[in-house]
Amino acid sequence: MFKPLALASAAGALLAATPLLAQDLPDLQGREVVVVTENAYPPLQFIDPESGDAIGWEYDAMDEIAERLNMTVTYENISWDAMIPAVSEGQFDLGMTGITIREDRAEMVDFSEPYMRSEMVMLVRGDEDRFDDAASFAADEDLLMGAQPGTTPFYVGVYDVLDGNEQTPRITLFETFGASVQALRTGDVDLVLTDGTAGEGYVAASEGALKIVGEKLGSEDFGFIFPKGSDLVASINAAIAAMAADGTLEALNKTWFLDYKMGE
């Protein structure tokens, strides 16, 4: 089993003094909201290998938000590299896929308040003994990292682990996070960086094939994204804050980071 690295502390702070009650939340009167995701980032959102259903922390959270705000949600799927531009252009009302809140992205889309904080970890094969931290990985030029272009793990790998060269041949690029993990397992790359929520999940489901090494490489806050100027932001923020105040976010963390064992 594995645990969340934080409990939406920023969202909880919003209501530390005056918790919102359900009746204080906006009523969107059944408004239809199209939410786009990648379904490739367990345990936040992924395809259940047994049922084929899309499930995860973010789905449960969004369903709860929809109920509290009286909105109707439909889900669409898109690749990570297309998500932020598509939401920015208004093709979708909201995006969710463990998206790190960053200033450069905030120039293209609006972010909700954070709903989760996680820390970057180094995911390696279970039998890895050539390196055990970022410095020893960087020192061996034969070692390769897998990452999705334009993601936080990519930039942390470039600037915090390697030498700052975004064209480095030591990072092999993949279209999905899952593909980079598969390449790690088969030996095509030697390291994948990810936040602790996904990393601990993959370790728990790997039956010893994967492990986490080294110190954490920093923290990141996750938020939902919207087209710039979206009138949904305030309502979603109110729901996130209410869910933090009444323990719903913590209950979701327990469900997905303690009770649920991926792969079983």
Side-chain angles (χ1 to χ4, degrees):
M1 294 190 297
F2 50 102
K3 60 185 179 180
L5 295 170
L7 302 177
S9 57
L14 290 175
L15 293 190
T18 55
L20 282 173
L21 300 176
Q23 58 266 32
D24 296 320
L25 294 176
D27 183 351
L28 299 186
Q29 300 181 339
R31 175 174 171 176
E32 294 184 4
V33 175
V34 181
V35 176
V36 67
T37 188
E38 189 185 15
N39 285 336
Y41 197 25
L44 295 185
Q45 21 69 31
F46 60 105
I47 301 298
D48 186 337
E50 294 184 0
S51 68
D53 295 333
I55 60 173
W57 191 103
E58 287 180 329
Y59 278 106
D60 285 358
M62 189 55 59
D63 289 347
E64 179 70 20
I65 289 170
E67 182 175 351
R68 293 184 184 218
L69 296 179
N70 186 20
M71 69 183 193
T72 302
V73 174
T74 58
Y75 294 100
E76 299 288 346
N77 186 250
I78 199 171
S79 65
W80 159 253
D81 59 349
M83 179 176 295
I84 293 178
V87 172
S88 175
E89 293 167 3
Q91 296 179 33
F92 307 99
D93 299 310
L94 186 156
M96 65 177 199
T97 185
I99 303 171
T100 301
I101 299 173
R102 291 188 356 200
E103 290 185 4
D104 59 331
R105 293 172 180 167
E107 295 177 359
M108 297 180 63
V109 293
D110 284 341
F111 277 96
S112 70
E113 292 294 333
Y115 57 80
M116 183 180 295
R117 173 168 292 173
S118 188
E119 294 172 301
M120 194 70 63
V121 297
M122 299 176 63
L123 186 66
V124 302
R125 286 184 295 280
D127 61 356
E128 180 59 71
D129 59 7
R130 295 167 297 173
F131 66 97
D132 57 10
D133 59 16
S136 54
F137 173 85
D140 188 339
E141 295 185 359
D142 292 330
L143 300 175
L144 298 177
M145 180 187 308
Q148 289 174 273
T151 61
T152 298
F154 171 80
Y155 291 114
V156 170
V158 168
Y159 293 102
D160 294 354
V161 178
L162 299 175
D163 59 4
N165 174 18
E166 293 187 14
Q167 306 303 317
T168 176
R170 293 190 58 186
I171 298 183
T172 302
L173 300 178
F174 297 91
E175 290 187 4
T176 68
F177 176 72
S180 68
V181 175
Q182 182 59 30
L184 174 65
R185 297 186 65 146
T186 58
D188 293 326
V189 298
D190 307 294
L191 168 66
V192 169
L193 298 182
T194 183
D195 70 275
T197 56
E200 294 285 358
Y202 273 96
V203 169
S206 73
E207 299 182 345
L210 300 171
K211 66 182 179 181
I212 290 171
V213 299
E215 298 293 326
K216 295 180 176 64
L217 299 175
S219 63
E220 55 186 2
D221 290 328
F222 295 156
F224 302 121
I225 60 172
F226 310 79
K228 295 293 286 186
S230 171
D231 62 351
L232 281 172
V233 177
S235 296
I236 298 293
N237 282 345
I240 291 171
M243 290 162 64
D246 66 17
T248 300
L249 293 185
E250 185 166 358
L252 287 175
N253 287 334
K254 181 176 184 298
T255 296
W256 288 103
F257 300 115
L258 291 175
D259 295 341
Y260 188 80
K261 294 183 179 182
M262 289 182 298
E264 298 185 358

